[in-house]
Amino acid sequence: MFRKLSALRGLPVLRLPDAAMPAARLRESPGPGRVSTIEAIARALRLIEGDAAAAPLEALFALAVAPRGGHGRSLTG
C-alpha cells in the first residue's frame, strides 16, 4: 500500500511490538514478524484502546483460519 499510494510517502513508518504468531494462518507469512492486515489492526487497537477493542477482530481472524470440514467456506454456518 505504501508503494502504491504516493500520498502515504513521507508519513512515518511504525512497527508494532513483536507478539507470538498464531499457528493457524491463511497463507505463509512473507517474513518473520509479518502478520495479516486484520492481525496488525487488532494489535494496534490493543495498544491504543485495550483488549476489548482488539478481541472482536481476533475472534474474526480465528474464525477465518479455523479448519473446516469439506472444501470451501459456508456463509450460512
Side-chain angles (χ1 to χ4, degrees):
M1 186 80 69
F2 188 77
R3 289 184 205 124
K4 291 180 182 180
L5 300 174
S6 61
L8 296 178
R9 294 186 196 122
L11 293 176
V13 177
L14 304 175
R15 180 169 159 65
L16 293 170
D18 289 333
M21 296 283 282
R25 311 294 309 153
L26 289 174
R27 61 184 173 84
E28 189 174 328
S29 177
R34 302 276 181 104
V35 296
S36 69
T37 302
I38 195 168
E39 290 172 289
I41 293 169
R43 289 180 185 188
L45 278 174
R46 175 168 277 109
L47 289 173
I48 297 167
E49 300 288 335
D51 292 341
L57 285 177
E58 292 171 336
L60 179 63
F61 181 76
L63 182 64
V65 297
R68 305 219 187 275
H71 298 287
R73 296 191 173 140
S74 170
L75 297 176
T76 60

